[in-house]
Amino acid sequence: MRSEAGLFPAVLRHWRTRRGWSQLDLALTANISSRHVSFLETGRAQPSREMVLRLGETLDLPLRDRNAMLHAAGFEHAFAEPTFEGGLPPPLAQALDRMSAQQEPYPLVVMNRRFDVLRANDAAWRMFARAIADPEALPKDGRMNIMRMLFDPRLARPFVLEWDRVAHAILSRLQREQFSRPNDNELASLLEEILAMPDVPKAWQKPDLSVPVEPTLVLRVRRDDLELAFLTTLTVFQAPQNVLLDEIVIESYFPYDQRTADICASLALPPQSPEGAVIR
């Protein structure tokens, strides 16, 4: 694979400039000489595998991009890239099962870096079912995407109260993800699609990365006489050792008020017949 090594100088220079660092900045942070950084970027020096990993960590690259940097330098990947289906280590799969069950009767959603829903608990599916304007607009393959649901007027958008506030906050999250993963064409395509949705303000096309990301978000949904209010939180894996875990985000919905808690508990009850018998 060493034949790929000629790509490394361009990849390193791309990420360094993307981070807004000089060669001296990178050298000081990585604890190497600026001369060596210069030689790496001009191809006068070839990096070792350990050096590539050090530079990837110093530049705080997503694990998928660290693998790509290794490949550009002619080395094998260091981080596994399993799929979600069957790719989670058994203890983590069990932990997700427990988290999903314990979160009931409140929603919990597991997403990938593109905001695709990888799995959701029953409470989340109950909420989705009540917050879709036109079920025919859902993807035929059954893959739900949180961004499309929020921004598409045929899906959940008509029922989200204070949509401007919520949508702008979540769009900022997508823009930050795309900024940190500039080589991710799928993420860039999703951002382009979302910005082209009807009535998305033109001012939102330019991200304001100086605005801090709030640790929680209040989401209110109303349809007919049903109104729910949630406080949402995000959970990620600390120090992941494979690409799948690096890209998974767990979004938990907690009732913002007692009324929402009561409604969620009621929706979780099995339906009953007019005589009061449980319908199986």
Side-chain angles (χ1 to χ4, degrees), residues 209-225:
L209 301 179
S210 66
V211 177
V213 177
E214 297 296 331
T216 61
L217 177 70
V218 176
L219 173 68
R220 300 179 187 274
V221 179
R222 180 170 63 203
R223 185 171 190 178
D224 300 327
D225 59 349

Side-chain angles (χ1 to χ4, degrees), residues 41-151:
E41 288 195 359
T42 58
R44 294 178 64 185
Q46 296 297 321
S48 66
R49 180 180 176 85
E50 291 69 25
M51 177 58 67
V52 177
L53 289 171
R54 182 195 297 189
L55 292 169
E57 182 175 3
T58 301
L59 290 164
D60 193 26
L61 302 190
L63 297 190
R64 185 180 297 275
D65 292 296
R66 296 187 201 185
N67 277 345
M69 180 177 275
L70 282 166
H71 181 76
F75 297 109
E76 295 291 339
H77 292 173
F79 305 99
E81 300 185 15
T83 61
F84 186 77
E85 296 77 9
L88 282 176
L92 291 179
Q94 293 171 9
L96 279 181
D97 288 340
R98 293 191 180 99
M99 291 176 68
S100 296
Q102 291 173 359
Q103 186 66 13
E104 294 283 354
Y106 314 123
L108 180 143
V109 175
V110 181
M111 300 176 290
N112 61 17
R113 74 186 192 284
R114 299 182 302 275
F115 297 85
D116 295 324
V117 176
L118 300 175
R119 67 176 293 177
N121 65 0
D122 290 342
W125 291 117
R126 288 192 295 269
M127 181 178 69
F128 291 157
R130 289 165 173 81
I132 299 297
D134 180 9
E136 292 297 319
L138 290 170
K140 302 306 179 187
D141 60 5
R143 274 193 171 274
M144 306 281 280
N145 182 280
I146 295 298
M147 283 290 168
R148 294 189 182 99
M149 285 185 62
L150 177 61
F151 280 83

